Amino acid sequence: MRLSPRHPRFASLKVRATLAEAHRQGLVVPEGLIAQGRGEAFDYLLGERTTPGAGRAERAAAEWLLAARHPVISVNGNVAALAAAEVAALARAVPGLDVEVNLFHRTGSRARQVAAALHAAGVRRVLGVRPTATIPRLPSDRAKVDRRGIWDADVCLVPLEDGDRAEALRALGKRVISVDLNPLSRTSRTADLPIVDEVRRALAAVARHAENRRTSARPPRFTPFDQRAALSDALAAIGRGIRRTAAQRSTARRRDRASPRRPRGTPGRTRRTP
Ligand code: PTJ
């Protein structure tokens, strides 16, 4: 299907086409398309832009990644399909950041496909293709990790995660930074530092902040982050967006009632068809 750049929803349609193609190639699972739909709905409600609250979380995330002993980003099929270039930019901006494949619907061939997408985007070393450790008390394949990566990490950045693993990582004493457009998800509520933003915008912003931060003389540190306030901010942004749209709609309705528009192509009085 050809997409016209003049279509008002071109950007969103392009993302869908990218994911659908990645699904046909086996990189993205069908469940990944459902996840994207859920994410899109929240993004729509958030105004499809980075809210000030998400911006603050992205700045703090850059600081935490730079302060970490061993930061790791976990990459699944959706993230590889949508944001491989942003993952590569982040790996360049944060020295010592390891990039690890981690899949909920794991097969060897999907793990290799994710790694290939990351290499093609410029990530030099990709861990997790052949897992060497298992996170205890986690019944899904997400438990399979790399001893040199997530297993050893003190800070894990987990875009499009599931709540179970976020909990399991925290139980191991790791700091968890999530990226999830749903402020109500268990992942967002479990993470120490939830970023409620679209994954490409979020990773690009964290990379930008990390680049800028590296030139400062002040050593990076684990600045305190108010997780609950961040989630309340996101919910408030959704509420404001809905109220604003509702107000615009009722103003338009009042205007229409005051001066009703004539149907197109009917100058003067309209004739009723018998
Ligand atoms: O590749 P796999 O096998 O590891 O599977 C990946 C998926 C995404 C299918 C798997 O992790 C999954 O089922 O995730 P969930 O439980 O559906 O959660 C995904 C979360 O990410 C949801 O809360 C969505 O709102 C959110 N989300 C979806 N798309 C985006 C997003 N958040 C940010 N940016 C997006 N583009």
Side-chain angles (χ1 to χ4, degrees), residues 193-221:
L193 199 167
I195 301 175
V196 182
D197 200 0
E198 195 276 330
V199 65
R200 287 164 311 157
R201 290 199 304 263
L203 296 182
V206 177
R208 251 188 340 265
H209 289 309
E211 280 289 354
N212 295 340
R213 183 65 185 80
R214 274 170 59 192
T215 56
S216 146
R218 191 166 48 84
R221 60 192 181 92

Side-chain angles (χ1 to χ4, degrees), residues 29 31-32 35-36 38-39 76-78 82 102-105 110 142 160-161 180-182 185 197-199:
V29 283
E31 292 82 351
Q36 172 67 17
R38 195 160 58 246
N76 63 23
N78 282 44
L82 288 177
N102 186 274
L103 298 173
F104 189 77
H105 308 275
R110 280 194 73 226
R142 274 208 193 276
L160 281 65
E161 181 70 3
D180 188 329
L181 278 159
N182 180 358
S185 76
D197 200 0
E198 195 276 330
V199 65

Side-chain angles (χ1 to χ4, degrees), residues 63-85:
E63 182 85 12
W64 281 27
L65 290 173
L66 290 171
R69 171 186 58 80
H70 184 188
V72 174
I73 178 169
S74 167
V75 179
N76 63 23
N78 282 44
V79 175
L82 288 177

Side-chain angles (χ1 to χ4, degrees), residues 128-271:
V129 175
R130 273 180 291 279
T132 46
T134 306
I135 297 174
R137 289 178 293 283
L138 185 58
S140 78
D141 270 354
R142 274 208 193 276
K144 296 178 182 168
V145 296
D146 198 306
R147 198 163 280 285
R148 298 163 300 167
I150 289 172
W151 183 260
D152 178 64
D154 59 337
V155 176
C156 292
L157 172 55
V158 292
L160 281 65
E161 181 70 3
D162 65 86
D164 283 352
R165 195 173 65 139
E167 264 171 23
L169 292 173
R170 285 204 60 193
L172 289 176
K174 301 175 193 301
R175 292 178 198 251
V176 174
I177 304 171
S178 65
V179 178
D180 188 329
L181 278 159
N182 180 358
L184 300 168
S185 76
R186 212 149 48 84
T187 303
S188 293
R189 287 184 286 122
T190 304
D192 300 279
L193 199 167
I195 301 175
V196 182
D197 200 0
E198 195 276 330
V199 65
R200 287 164 311 157
R201 290 199 304 263
L203 296 182
V206 177
R208 251 188 340 265
H209 289 309
E211 280 289 354
N212 295 340
R213 183 65 185 80
R214 274 170 59 192
T215 56
S216 146
R218 191 166 48 84
R221 60 192 181 92
F222 287 109
T223 37
F225 186 81
D226 191 337
Q227 186 255 20
R228 281 170 189 232
L231 297 182
S232 304
D233 280 357
L235 288 170
I238 290 174
R240 276 195 304 277
I242 291 176
R243 279 193 299 279
R244 199 170 40 241
T245 310
Q248 283 161 356
R249 289 283 148 87
S250 60
T251 312
R253 268 182 53 214
R254 275 199 301 277
R255 211 178 35 227
D256 283 355
R257 275 203 220 111
S259 56
R261 269 185 275 161
R262 290 200 187 109
R264 276 197 196 159
T266 51
R269 263 182 341 129
T270 50
R271 266 183 56 199

